[in-house]
Amino acid sequence: MKMPVGTVPSKQQLMQSDRQVATVIDLNKCMGCQACVVACKNLWTEREDAHHMRWMSVATAPGPLYPRDFEKKGGGYDATGNARPGELPTMVDSGDAFTFNHQEVLYEGNAQDKKLEPTSALGGAPEWGYNWEEDQGAGVWPNPYYFYMPRKCNHCSHPACIDACSRNAIYKRKEDGIVLIDLDRCEGHRHCVAACPYKMVFFNPVKQKSEKCIECFPRIDKKIASACNRQCPGRTRAFGFLDDENSLVHKLVEKYKVAIPLHPEYGTTPNVYYVPPMSPQAFDSDNNLTDEMRIPDSVLEGYFGKEVHKVMDTLLAERQKKKDGGSSELMDLLISRKWQDRYAEFTNHPV
Amino acid sequence: MNKGDITLARRDFLKLTGGAAGLSLVTLNGCSSDTFVAEVSDGKADIAYTSWEDVYVKQWDWDTISWGSHNNQCLPAGCTFRVYSRNGLVWREEQYANSAACSDEYPDYNPMGCQKGCAFHNLLYSEERLRYPMKRVGERGAGKWQRISWDEALTEVADAILDAHEEIGSAGFHVDAPHNHGGGVGKSGVHRFAHQLGAVMPETNVAIGDDLKGVSQVFGKMRMGMTSDNMFDADILIFSNTNWSYTVTPMYHFITEARYNGAEVILVNPDYNPSTIHADIHVPVVAGSDAAYWLSVSQVMIEEEIYDRDFILEQTDMPMLVRRDNAKFLSAEEVDGGRPDQFYFYDSGVGGIAQAPRASLKYEGKLEQLELEGLWKVRLADGSDVEVETVFARLKDMLNREYKPELAAEMCGTSPSLIREVARKVATKRTHFYNGFSTAKHYHGDLMERAAILMLGLSGNWGKPGTGFNNFLMMVDHVAHITGAEKTVAQGQLIDNKHALDELTKELKASDPAVSEEDAIIELMVRKQLKSATVPPAIWMYNYAGYNKLWDKKEWQDPTSPMTFGEYLSEGLEKGYIDPTYKCGPETRPQVLMYNCHNPLRRQRAGSQMYIEELWPKAKMIFYVETRMSSSAAFADILLPSAWYYEKEDTTSVFAHFPYQAMQEKAVNPPGEAHTEWEIYRDIMEKIGERAAQRNMKQFVDWGGTTRKYSDMKDRFTINGALNDNADVVREFVDYNAAVGIFPKDYTLEKFEEEGQVRIQSLGTSSQRHTQASDWHTDKPCYAMGWHVDKKLPYPTHTRRAQFYMDHEWFIGAGEAFPVHKDTPPQGGHHPFRLVSGHPRISVHTLHLANPHFMKLHRGQPVVFLNTEVAAEKGISDGDQVLMSNDYAESEFMVSLSAAVSRDQVLTYMWEPYQFKNWRSHDALMPGIPKPTPLAMNYTQCRFHIATGSPNPASDRAIRVDINKVKDA
């Protein structure tokens, strides 16, 4: 974004965009496979200075999620729009960056005396790491429950990171609202890291700058969907311009309103939306099936707000139509028999 | 505060952020410029957002793009990828995502490809990667190696094989159950190599415990399945003993989408496994008790008269007559001196017994006049009278006595209502049943499978769209072609194949006109097996690897079994149930062992004890053809490094879930001096010829009794140079598939290289076509068994029907003529927890387990899941080190506390043994006692042939272990 020499852009200007791309993630399909995570990592952050960064992450919910306990680390805005204080995640909160000891296990004549094990980037045995709570879940047998929570930068419409940056190094692209950090301007003060309530900005200790999801803009500029969105084998993702009425994101977010943001109360107007998860029938104390779903309403509301109840009602009602032999446009949209229909105009192959 | 007052907000953030930098790594070089800041402050520099974008744009760059895929990292495997390379190294890969649906009504297959495929290239350059031929220094397993040349390595291997030939014969060289993650060329190559050298090979599919015995016992065959879109035609989807989110990742969306489409998803599994989160109903059976559950479901269907009477009359043995005195089917031999395999119905229309047709399932009389229940007297040819009743009557009696829901609930741990509810749903709705490979690793898994198929049979749930007992439709005929070909397709091999089959069919029909095409193909494979040096792995392990010491232990036996494994083995050989070819005696003992894509310290139950202590000391030479240093490869004498995916031309083996075959190009050279497997086998053959000449050895006799000249070995292997390398073999694969109709007519390698993938057009001409027994479609979903249901073709079983009553004396003697529930035997002793297991998320097999990229996706070390409440009671916290133990062994793990396992369960997936203290994984706790009744290899559906037959030496599910916190050292 080029500014005339000598001018300092206002925060309003930095946050303004003419259009906004959005991602929808369907939690009724996410199986926690981590394909989106490796897609992003192998493309952007598989380098010495970025092993601890998971711009795309998938954690098991309920749980501390990723970065660890981000929901308790502040940032964003309160109900009246005031900035909330934020904490910086530590290296360990960021999932650590384990190293391993293959050489001594396999090649140094140690027979079976050494085992392959992770060492924390801080030295010693890890205390915590990425996806530490994989598949643990919550509840009590025979009614355990869990779902997977894929997260990435939300490319918010009112990003706290832009607000907080003392170098005006962060801005939204006019043409699509992608939030980017200008690495030439960034000096690594990390106000953005603390200010983001989702803790999706990461510090690069080697470059001494902050980095975050770039929404694969070199791909977007060629109308190729972001790697995490395109490479998801679960077909959980939809991507496109929110104002494009033909796009799946528009239909799910604006028309049917079944895709809603995570923690809307953080006040940043995020542009990653979730279709919340239905869950299996719960057992009563005699192990008979009830009509209740496993995941408590309160848990869903804790993540997605009160809006989630209406969404669940819609999903169940529309699915029932199909069970009864009828039709449902919403169910057909969530299926997307043609995979390309999920990506609006971003359907080019990466060649 | 007004959100519009952005400057104020920024100052607030500056005030509010503490300044404590949690990140403490040292800055190596500062990228920020003090000059720039100064200039900006002075208003001299342009605040232009310019060059940093290039940093990212330059990362998104490559030199070449190639077709790629991965062979048997999982099932289905065969996803088409684009592989991006830079400077001769693979940079990354991404799904091609261009696999159309069969029609607009069904979801397409895109994008295909999972996390394992999307990050595969990380394996190519890892520290585990073998790059040079190596020879051990010091003891086996010491962990010291010296690099040697290929010539030295090949010479040592060739000489060792020739020594074995001299001292024992060709059977002194054993190739231990190779798997196919090496690729199609590698797999066909190793089988061809072994076969041509007369090397003994324990049958791989049975050795790994993937042979579904119960399925064969009912249907006479085991490898049937569906295209994934078949699930869209179902009302009920049942998944049993499987975890698709981990193991069939790219097809998982068909389940979640079928659910949106109105289908009901039922997950039958002891733990709340990760695939259950998207189900409607979890049926939490106690591990190993599924038979009780399905038998009770069957009882409800019969009691409530909601079963499909016409279906079972026609398709199954339900109306067949069994003698009450000896529990055997009434046969024509005793009635009027006719065939011993001619059985009877009772036809009330004719008022007496009627022969059950053998050439077709179509009954000549009126189907509705066949009796399902009743007791009659029959006069035999010798003048005596016997009482007979129908199979159905016997079944109903047993089910009513022992498997009513209130009784069955005690065995399987669910509520009676959950039994009744599922019974009523399945009986009235189109049900698709997917059975995973876990049943084959339960000691009584055969009973679990038979019971599940029973309830599908009672409800008429196979042979129709949206139905089926599905698992294993895998297209490997092109691999089988290369394994045995003496000629290429162009030279006329297929004509020879057809001739051989025609001759055999003529021979068989001469004594039995009812023989079907399927029967003939199976008999052909049974005979081929006898000549191929492929042996039952359980017998091989019992005699060569010391497993007799484990499997006959009295305290670990199935209390309901009349004999130990060893006793069944002796009796089976004595009575001719087991062909003497398979006895694995000392005259065919292993002196040289070869491993290819096999990590026995992981894969073989108790491998880390029995292979290290009993088997390997017997071998004078152990050599590996491998891509990576696995725990087992660490014990080799010689390591031969092989090329991996993207480094060689290849093509995938197709699993019908995804009916496309993928092209694999050579994107880059393998690192160091790694060669392709085909080159390695070819070069060993050449070296054998060379060394034999130098040692004045002329010829040997192979397993089939044919004399082979050493000087011919290389030429025979390569068909005189026609199959010299991977590229040649891939061309031959394409020619074969085009010739038999699996690929479009006249399809060529060039077209394949251009398109990258091709849709399967048919199931070709050999056995797979018949196991599936359905028309193959490209414009609608495919399901199994249509020919039996629509065309009334008989099943390849003793009774020509889907058979639930096994009247072999061993089955009768074990009380298993019908499927029944039996508790898992106490292998390893009596302990409080049932160990359940399966394939991990990040690696399906061992390939990725110890790769840092993948290990950083979880705790990076082995974990065992323990119920949260139980852990609290035992004073165990999340992350503690625990000892898993039983009477046989112990293994140390980190514990992960979970609500998703029941109180009586502990759950772990697969790990690489060198991730454990003393390299002892939980596999060490598993004696793997094979259920011995499948040694009844004379019974029609128990015969030993491709991928099936003979006992699974892999029973580990639900064995009992204890878990305790490790005392601090």
Side-chain angles (χ1 to χ4, degrees):
Chain A
M1 178 177 154
K2 291 197 191 334
M3 303 293 294
V5 173
T7 65
V8 177
S10 70
K11 290 299 183 186
Q12 221 153 21
Q13 284 171 313
L14 293 170
M15 286 194 196
Q16 194 273 336
S17 72
D18 294 337
R19 300 184 76 191
Q20 178 69 53
V21 287
T23 295
V24 171
I25 305 179
D26 187 345
L27 300 181
N28 290 293
K29 291 174 141 190
C30 177
M31 65 187 116
C33 71
Q34 309 277 340
C36 54
V37 173
V38 306
C40 176
K41 184 141 267 303
N42 281 288
L43 192 40
W44 303 120
T45 62
E46 187 66 6
R47 43 190 161 91
E48 274 313 304
D49 55 359
H51 285 310
H52 63 289
M53 300 186 194
R54 284 90 178 172
W55 296 353
M56 182 70 235
S57 64
V58 181
T60 301
L65 304 184
Y66 176 83
R68 182 170 56 170
D69 291 327
F70 79 89
E71 292 164 304
K72 300 178 185 157
K73 291 194 190 306
Y77 306 94
D78 65 22
T80 55
N82 291 319
R84 295 193 308 157
E87 277 173 54
L88 293 173
T90 63
M91 165 58 75
V92 174
D93 292 335
S94 300
D96 206 324
F98 300 158
T99 53
F100 295 89
N101 55 332
H102 289 81
Q103 286 297 322
E104 75 170 351
V105 173
L106 299 176
Y107 301 113
E108 291 177 2
N110 287 310
Q112 287 69 60
D113 297 337
K114 299 283 181 196
K115 68 173 183 177
L116 188 72
E117 54 192 349
T119 298
S120 166
L122 305 181
E127 156 220 327
W128 192 82
Y130 174 73
N131 203 16
W132 197 257
E133 287 77 21
E134 183 177 57
D135 297 346
Q136 287 187 327
V140 179
W141 186 270
N143 287 312
Y145 60 91
Y146 57 94
F147 59 99
Y148 298 104
M149 184 71 88
R151 298 210 311 115
K152 53 183 283 197
C153 169
N154 296 297
H155 297 279
C156 301
S157 295
H158 190 99
C161 57
I162 292 185
D163 246 347
C165 178
S166 53
R167 292 279 300 146
N168 289 332
I170 312 181
Y171 65 98
K172 283 174 77 69
R173 295 203 325 178
K174 253 181 145 6
E175 63 269 36
D176 52 26
I178 292 175
V179 175
L180 295 174
I181 302 175
D182 179 340
L183 292 177
D184 293 334
R185 288 195 58 74
C186 176
E187 285 184 344
H189 297 301
R190 280 161 280 161
H191 302 303
C192 57
V193 178
C196 175
Y198 297 96
K199 297 296 175 284
M200 287 281 101
V201 189
F202 297 84
F203 181 63
N204 185 327
V206 173
K207 291 194 176 76
Q208 290 282 295
K209 289 169 188 283
S210 297
E211 289 190 81
K212 62 182 266 319
C213 163
I214 57 173
E215 199 64 62
C216 290
F217 72 81
R219 293 167 64 111
I220 300 304
D221 290 345
K222 297 196 153 98
K223 298 292 187 215
I224 304 166
S226 351
C228 62
N229 286 326
R230 184 180 186 276
Q231 294 189 248
C232 169
R235 292 156 59 116
T236 69
R237 306 294 185 99
F239 181 76
F241 285 107
L242 263 182
D243 61 26
D244 174 3
E245 286 179 4
N246 293 317
S247 73
L248 185 57
V249 293
H250 178 90
K251 291 174 189 174
L252 295 178
V253 175
E254 309 287 5
K255 180 177 177 189
Y256 282 99
K257 302 192 196 305
V258 292
I260 53 180
L262 174 68
H263 289 305
E265 73 278 13
Y266 290 170
T268 63
T269 314
N271 288 301
V272 173
Y273 300 87
Y274 296 87
V275 180
M278 302 180 285
S279 51
Q281 290 173 253
F283 292 108
D284 66 19
S285 52
D286 294 319
N287 291 336
N288 299 314
L289 284 173
T290 68
D291 287 329
E292 299 301 307
M293 289 193 292
R294 295 283 182 105
I295 304 174
D297 285 346
S298 57
V299 168
L300 291 176
E301 194 178 311
Y303 286 116
F304 302 108
K306 286 191 158 33
E307 193 62 27
V308 77
H309 305 303
K310 230 189 315 179
V311 174
M312 296 309 294
D313 289 344
T314 304
L315 291 176
L316 292 171
E318 291 296 312
R319 188 176 168 225
Q320 190 60 46
K321 286 184 189 168
K322 295 294 297 187
K323 280 177 157 187
D324 295 337
S327 61
S328 161
E329 193 201 36
L330 175 60
M331 291 294 113
D332 287 339
L333 287 172
L334 290 167
I335 293 169
S336 289
R337 285 164 175 75
K338 289 194 162 58
W339 171 77
Q340 294 276 48
D341 289 347
R342 305 186 76 90
Y343 302 110
E345 64 202 71
F346 297 94
T347 54
N348 282 341
H349 291 285
V351 290
Chain B
M1 192 213 78
N2 180 0
K3 265 199 192 139
D5 189 352
I6 294 169
T7 310
L8 182 60
R10 178 177 66 76
R11 284 216 296 271
D12 282 350
F13 275 118
L14 288 173
K15 258 193 286 179
L16 295 171
T17 53
L23 299 163
S24 58
L25 293 179
V26 174
T27 305
L28 287 184
N29 82 79
C31 299
S32 59
S33 158
D34 294 331
T35 330
F36 175 76
V37 173
E39 284 171 353
V40 164
S41 308
D42 290 344
K44 283 183 205 153
D46 189 353
I47 305 174
Y49 301 88
T50 52
S51 61
W52 66 271
E53 288 105 327
D54 291 341
V55 171
Y56 290 122
V57 171
K58 282 200 179 100
Q59 278 188 249
W60 170 247
D61 191 28
W62 54 85
D63 298 334
T64 58
I65 310 179
S66 316
W67 294 113
S69 190
H70 318 96
N71 300 80
N72 203 58
Q73 286 187 154
C74 80
L75 302 178
C79 307
T80 312
F81 271 77
R82 302 300 272 147
V83 177
Y84 302 87
S85 305
R86 294 205 273 245
N87 303 321
L89 299 174
V90 176
W91 164 52
R92 65 183 284 273
E93 57 273 274
E94 182 164 345
Q95 301 98 321
Y96 178 47
N98 199 12
S99 307
C102 63
S103 82
D104 287 347
E105 281 177 58
Y106 298 90
D108 64 32
Y109 291 90
N110 299 321
M112 287 305 291
C114 68
Q115 80 282 61
K116 301 169 277 283
C118 290
F120 175 77
H121 73 278
N122 289 282
L123 271 60
L124 297 178
Y125 311 117
S126 72
E127 288 186 76
E128 297 173 90
R129 188 74 202 271
L130 297 178
R131 295 168 168 79
Y132 300 100
M134 297 210 283
K135 182 173 171 169
R136 71 171 157 91
V137 175
E139 296 297 301
R140 281 179 182 155
K144 282 213 183 90
W145 302 91
Q146 56 161 306
R147 181 179 161 183
I148 58 176
S149 69
W150 269 104
D151 194 63
E152 285 173 88
L154 293 171
T155 302
E156 291 223 22
V157 164
D159 273 329
I161 293 173
L162 289 170
D163 291 344
H165 280 203
E166 274 183 338
E167 290 162 38
I168 297 172
S170 65
F173 173 39
H174 290 221
V175 178
D176 189 355
H179 204 241
N180 48 307
H181 72 244
V185 176
K187 177 172 184 166
S188 57
V190 68
H191 283 268
R192 182 179 182 78
F193 172 76
H195 178 67
Q196 291 188 350
L197 277 167
V200 176
M201 186 188 292
E203 210 287 333
T204 301
N205 194 56
V206 178
I208 64 184
D210 275 0
D211 177 21
L212 305 167
K213 298 280 184 287
V215 182
S216 289
Q217 285 159 16
V218 175
F219 291 126
K221 53 189 169 175
M222 186 265 294
R223 295 177 297 146
M224 71 279 293
M226 78 296 176
T227 52
S228 298
D229 45 14
N230 183 48
M231 292 195 276
F232 249 61
D233 289 334
D235 302 314
I236 307 266
L237 303 178
I238 301 181
F239 291 85
S240 159
N241 281 273
T242 187
N243 186 10
W244 271 43
S245 84
Y246 274 28
T247 59
V248 196
T249 310
M251 318 311 288
Y252 185 79
H253 69 88
F254 280 97
I255 305 173
T256 55
E257 288 158 11
R259 191 173 175 227
Y260 274 141
N261 204 40
E264 193 167 1
V265 179
I266 301 177
L267 230 296
V268 182
N269 207 63
D271 58 298
Y272 187 77
N273 79 24
S275 305
T276 325
I277 68 172
H278 296 131
D280 295 297
I281 296 176
H282 178 211
V283 177
V285 289
V286 167
S289 70
D290 307 40
Y293 185 81
W294 297 122
L295 288 166
S296 193
V297 165
S298 302
Q299 192 277 337
V300 172
M301 287 183 185
I302 293 177
E303 181 172 300
E304 297 188 4
E305 296 183 347
I306 48 179
Y307 60 90
D308 188 335
R309 185 187 170 89
D310 284 350
F311 189 87
I312 62 172
L313 279 174
E314 182 184 79
Q315 298 286 317
T316 77
D317 62 348
M318 290 293 145
M320 281 185 169
L321 300 177
V322 175
R323 287 171 58 158
R324 282 173 69 91
D325 58 348
N326 65 6
K328 296 209 151 209
F329 288 110
L330 179 72
S331 84
E333 189 176 48
E334 56 220 13
V335 170
D336 57 18
R339 297 182 64 92
D341 55 1
Q342 173 63 65
F343 306 117
Y344 291 89
F345 301 141
Y346 193 91
D347 185 337
S348 57
V350 309
I353 63 175
Q355 290 195 341
R358 298 184 64 256
S360 164
L361 298 178
K362 182 157 173 31
Y363 184 59
E364 299 306 326
K366 294 202 167 79
L367 195 68
E368 58 271 22
Q369 285 172 343
L370 292 182
E371 294 295 339
L372 261 186
E373 295 177 69
L375 192 66
W376 303 277
K377 232 194 265 233
V378 173
R379 167 107 350 126
L380 301 182
D382 65 7
S384 63
D385 285 340
V386 290
E387 268 195 331
V388 297
E389 61 186 342
T390 60
V391 167
F392 184 84
R394 285 171 89 85
L395 174 71
K396 182 172 170 181
D397 189 52
M398 179 194 84
L399 293 177
N400 286 341
R401 244 185 303 116
E402 296 172 37
Y403 294 101
K404 289 193 171 171
E406 282 65 28
L407 276 180
E410 308 275 307
M411 296 179 239
C412 68
T414 72
S415 63
S417 68
L418 195 53
I419 296 169
R420 291 193 167 92
E421 185 156 345
V422 169
R424 290 163 191 158
K425 284 185 203 283
V426 170
T428 53
K429 296 182 185 206
R430 201 143 268 220
T431 300
H432 171 287
F433 190 102
Y434 182 86
N435 190 88
F437 291 104
S438 265
T439 49
K441 299 169 182 70
H442 275 276
Y443 186 89
H444 289 301
D446 57 339
L447 299 173
M448 291 159 60
E449 293 155 20
R450 290 169 67 195
I453 302 170
L454 174 64
M455 70 98 193
L456 290 174
L458 287 171
S459 54
N461 267 309
W462 69 67
K464 306 162 187 171
T467 66
F469 184 91
N470 296 298
N471 182 298
F472 203 148
L473 178 57
M474 188 171 177
M475 281 156 255
V476 285
D477 291 346
H478 60 292
V479 169
H481 163 62
I482 296 289
T483 298
E486 300 293 348
K487 298 176 181 170
T488 64
V489 168
Q491 291 165 351
Q493 181 66 49
L494 299 188
I495 298 168
D496 290 356
N497 293 352
K498 182 164 192 319
H499 179 74
L501 183 59
D502 288 346
E503 287 299 299
L504 178 62
T505 307
K506 242 193 293 185
E507 177 202 316
L508 297 173
K509 277 195 140 96
S511 54
D512 184 2
V515 154
S516 68
E517 243 185 277
E518 180 165 25
D519 293 329
I521 286 183
I522 293 176
E523 179 62 21
L524 184 67
M525 294 193 299
V526 168
R527 294 188 189 189
K528 266 197 179 154
Q529 194 88 316
L530 283 164
K531 289 200 138 54
S532 72
T534 304
V535 299
I539 303 178
W540 188 92
M541 290 165 71
Y542 187 85
N543 285 335
Y544 298 141
Y547 279 85
N548 55 310
K549 297 179 182 171
L550 301 184
W551 294 350
D552 291 338
K553 254 182 153 45
K554 288 213 167 356
E555 55 270 34
W556 294 350
Q557 295 302 308
D558 174 5
T560 72
S561 178
M563 297 190 283
T564 62
F565 181 86
E567 287 165 343
Y568 274 105
L569 180 57
S570 297
E571 187 173 302
L573 284 165
E574 212 180 281
K575 292 189 169 169
Y577 298 166
I578 305 167
D579 194 295
T581 312
Y582 296 137
K583 75 180 196 294
C584 295
E587 67 283 0
T588 56
R589 68 192 179 280
Q591 182 165 300
V592 177
L593 281 166
M594 172 181 170
Y595 289 89
N596 171 227
C597 304
H598 182 186
N599 187 2
L601 298 190
R602 204 300 301 163
R603 192 222 279 174
Q604 299 305 128
R605 281 61 180 170
S608 53
Q609 297 97 305
M610 306 313 283
Y611 272 60
I612 294 176
E613 293 163 21
E614 299 283 337
L615 175 66
W616 288 340
K618 295 187 167 100
K620 291 188 182 170
M621 159 68 76
I622 300 175
F623 71 98
Y624 278 67
V625 174
E626 255 294 4
T627 50
R628 60 181 278 266
M629 182 70 87
S630 65
S631 304
S632 306
F635 283 80
D637 299 322
I638 301 271
L639 292 170
L640 302 177
S642 57
W644 224 333
Y645 322 139
Y646 311 161
E647 297 170 350
K648 55 190 177 181
E649 301 87 347
D650 212 328
T651 180
T652 54
S653 298
V654 177
F655 239 81
H657 308 326
F658 175 54
Y660 284 82
Q661 191 156 341
M663 177 66 208
Q664 295 169 274
E665 291 180 301
K666 181 178 173 173
V668 296
N669 287 322
E673 291 180 1
H675 291 177
T676 70
E677 293 98 335
W678 190 268
E679 285 171 337
I680 296 172
Y681 308 137
R682 177 200 69 199
D683 292 348
I684 297 175
M685 289 300 208
E686 184 172 46
K687 188 58 80 172
I688 286 176
E690 185 188 302
R691 287 296 297 138
Q694 287 163 359
R695 292 170 57 159
N696 206 24
M697 294 168 72
K698 295 272 191 280
Q699 59 201 28
F700 67 97
V701 179
D702 73 13
W703 185 269
T706 309
T707 301
R708 305 285 179 188
K709 290 216 212 98
Y710 287 114
S711 53
D712 288 343
M713 299 309 294
K714 184 191 173 185
D715 285 342
R716 187 174 173 222
F717 186 77
T718 66
I719 309 184
N720 300 310
L723 302 177
N724 195 50
D725 57 23
N726 274 45
D728 291 338
V729 180
V730 175
R731 182 178 294 281
E732 184 65 12
F733 281 155
V734 174
D735 287 351
Y736 176 87
N737 278 353
V740 300
I742 292 174
F743 285 179
K745 196 168 178 322
D746 301 328
Y747 204 74
T748 61
L749 177 62
E750 285 67 32
K751 201 136 195 345
F752 200 19
E753 285 167 342
E754 188 193 308
E755 297 182 335
Q757 64 175 32
V758 56
R759 203 186 219 289
I760 301 303
Q761 302 294 306
S762 82
L763 294 179
T765 57
S766 69
S767 66
Q768 193 65 91
R769 181 164 159 263
H770 292 284
T771 58
Q772 179 69 355
S774 269
D775 293 341
W776 183 264
H777 305 288
T778 55
D779 61 348
K780 47 186 175 173
C782 300
Y783 55 88
M785 316 286 252
W787 294 344
H788 300 295
V789 170
D790 297 331
K791 298 186 189 174
K792 320 299 180 193
L793 295 190
Y795 295 80
T797 64
H798 186 54
T799 56
R800 322 291 286 152
R801 306 282 177 303
Q803 186 172 333
F804 295 100
Y805 188 79
M806 296 282 287
D807 76 339
H808 188 285
E809 41 274 25
W810 277 358
F811 282 78
I812 296 168
E816 295 179 14
F818 278 128
V820 293
H821 164 74
K822 290 188 170 182
D823 288 339
T824 309
Q827 296 187 51
H830 295 270
H831 297 283
F833 297 100
R834 291 179 172 86
L835 175 64
V836 292
S837 191
H839 289 271
R841 165 178 270 136
I842 55 140
S843 188
V844 185
H845 302 112
T846 359
L847 301 188
H848 303 66
L849 285 175
N851 183 273
H853 192 80
F854 290 88
M855 286 195 286
K856 287 187 283 185
L857 294 173
H858 59 82
R859 294 187 183 188
Q861 57 196 292
V863 294
V864 60
F865 289 94
L866 178 66
N867 177 277
T868 314
E869 277 77 41
V870 168
E873 290 158 20
K874 290 172 78 77
I876 295 175
S877 305
D878 189 39
D880 280 350
Q881 289 295 311
V882 293
L883 194 67
M884 182 192 294
S885 61
N886 67 7
D887 294 355
Y888 183 49
E890 55 188 36
S891 176
E892 248 182 59
F893 278 84
M894 172 183 277
V895 79
S896 177
L897 302 189
S898 175
V901 290
S902 63
R903 291 185 58 93
D904 72 314
Q905 227 170 69
V906 290
L907 166 66
T908 190
Y909 296 101
M910 256 180 226
W911 305 97
E912 180 66 60
Y914 61 62
Q915 290 178 285
F916 289 83
K917 182 174 168 187
N918 301 325
W919 293 27
R920 282 292 168 95
S921 66
H922 59 297
D923 304 292
L925 277 75
M926 304 167 175
I929 300 178
K931 183 159 182 183
T933 40
L935 287 171
M937 285 151 63
N938 60 320
Y939 204 74
T940 309
Q941 51 263 52
C942 296
R943 289 176 298 163
F944 184 50
H945 57 90
I946 185 168
T948 190
S950 86
N952 289 4
S955 66
D956 61 58
R957 301 295 198 260
I959 66 162
R960 308 302 281 257
V961 300
D962 203 356
I963 294 273
N964 289 294
K965 192 165 163 173
V966 166
K967 310 270 183 280
D968 288 338

